[in-house]
Amino acid sequence: MAPFEITYHRPRSIEEAVRLFDTLQQQGKKPLYYGGGTEIITLSRLHLVTTDAVIDIKHIPECRALEATEHELVLGAALSLTTLEEANPFPLLTKAASEVADRTARNQITLGGNICGQIFYRETVLPLLLADSQAVIAGKDGVKQCSIHDVFQQHIQLKPGQFLVQWKVDRSFASLPYFHRKRRKQGEVGYPLVTAAAIKKDGQICVALSGVCPFPFRSKEVEERLNARHLSVHDRIEGAIEALPRPILDDIEGSAAYRLFVLKQMLFDMIDELGGE
C-alpha cells in the first residue's frame, strides 16, 4: 500500500479521463494516470512519488487495443507485458517485454507504464524506436498522433494532463530479422547492465540501447558507425562506442568501463547474428 491516502477513479472513455484530470486539479489534487500501478506503489514507499488521486486508464477500450490490420499493429498503452508476450504481435517487442522483471510483475506492468515511468531503463521502448512507431496521445486539446522520435527524447515528453493511449507500428517491422540481448549483474534477476535491441532493414543494422546511459536511446550516429562496411568490424564497433551519448552509467550495477566492455561484446554478436559484415 502507498503511505498516503489516494482516491481511485475509473473512467470508461478518453474524454472522461481527461475531464477527470482537469477536475481533480481544480480541486487542488495531484492526479496521476494509472496503468498497472507497480511503479506508483514501489516509488511511493520510497517517497519518490506522491499523489492523492489516480485515474485508471485500463478500462478505456482504446488503451487496451491489440489489433493487426494488413499494414499496421495497434498496441494499447494499458496492455500488460504478459498480454503482449502471449499475443506476440511484434517478436522483438515480445522479447523485450518478456525480460522485464518476472512473470508476476509482468502481469501488472503495462506497456505504457514501462515507457512512461520514472525507472529509466524503459526497455520496451527500444523496439518501438527501431520501428519508427507512432504515438497516440490524449489531452485537453484532443487526441493526436505523432512520431515516437518527436515525443520520446530520453523520456516521453507529455504535457500536464496528457496520457499515452496507443502505439501504432508499421506491420512490416514485425517480420524483419532482429537481435535482442540483455546482460544483468548476476543471473536472471535485477536491473540490466546493458540491453541491446536491433533490426536489420534494407541491409542496414538499426540499434537502440538501454542501461548504457541514464536513458534509453537510438542514435543515428551510432548506426552510421556500425554500418560503415569499408572499415573492419573492430573499427566499426570502436567508432560506435565513441559516438555514444554521454554520460555512461557508473553505478552499483556496474562501472562505466564494465558497461562498455559488455556493450562491445554485444555489438560483435549483433553484427555476427544479423550478417552485418
Side-chain angles (χ1 to χ4, degrees), residues 134-146:
Q134 294 286 309
V136 178
I137 296 169
K140 291 177 69 174
D141 298 330
V143 179
K144 66 177 184 177
Q145 183 171 313
C146 60

Side-chain angles (χ1 to χ4, degrees), residues 219-234:
S219 165
K220 291 294 185 182
E221 187 174 358
V222 168
E223 292 177 1
E224 287 173 1
R225 303 288 184 91
L226 282 178
N227 288 293
R229 298 192 181 191
H230 62 286
L231 300 175
S232 69
V233 172
H234 177 272

Side-chain angles (χ1 to χ4, degrees), residues 17-27 31 33 55 140 161:
V18 172
R19 286 197 304 271
L20 264 172
F21 191 98
D22 189 52
T23 298
L24 291 165
Q25 274 199 325
Q26 290 179 23
Q27 294 172 355
Y33 290 112
I55 301 170
K140 291 177 69 174

Side-chain angles (χ1 to χ4, degrees), residues 14-76:
I14 292 173
E15 295 76 15
E16 185 184 354
V18 172
R19 286 197 304 271
L20 264 172
F21 191 98
D22 189 52
T23 298
L24 291 165
Q25 274 199 325
Q26 290 179 23
Q27 294 172 355
K29 295 188 175 184
K30 298 179 180 179
L32 286 178
Y33 290 112
Y34 167 99
T38 55
E39 186 169 307
I40 292 175
I41 293 170
T42 300
L43 296 185
S44 67
R45 291 170 178 165
L46 300 173
H47 306 288
L48 298 175
V49 167
T50 57
T51 184
D52 44 20
V54 294
I55 301 170
D56 188 346
I57 65 169
K58 291 195 301 295
H59 300 274
I60 298 173
E62 292 90 339
C63 294
R64 296 187 63 84
L66 179 52
E67 302 167 3
T69 67
E70 182 180 357
H71 301 293
E72 186 176 67
L73 297 172
V74 180
L75 308 173

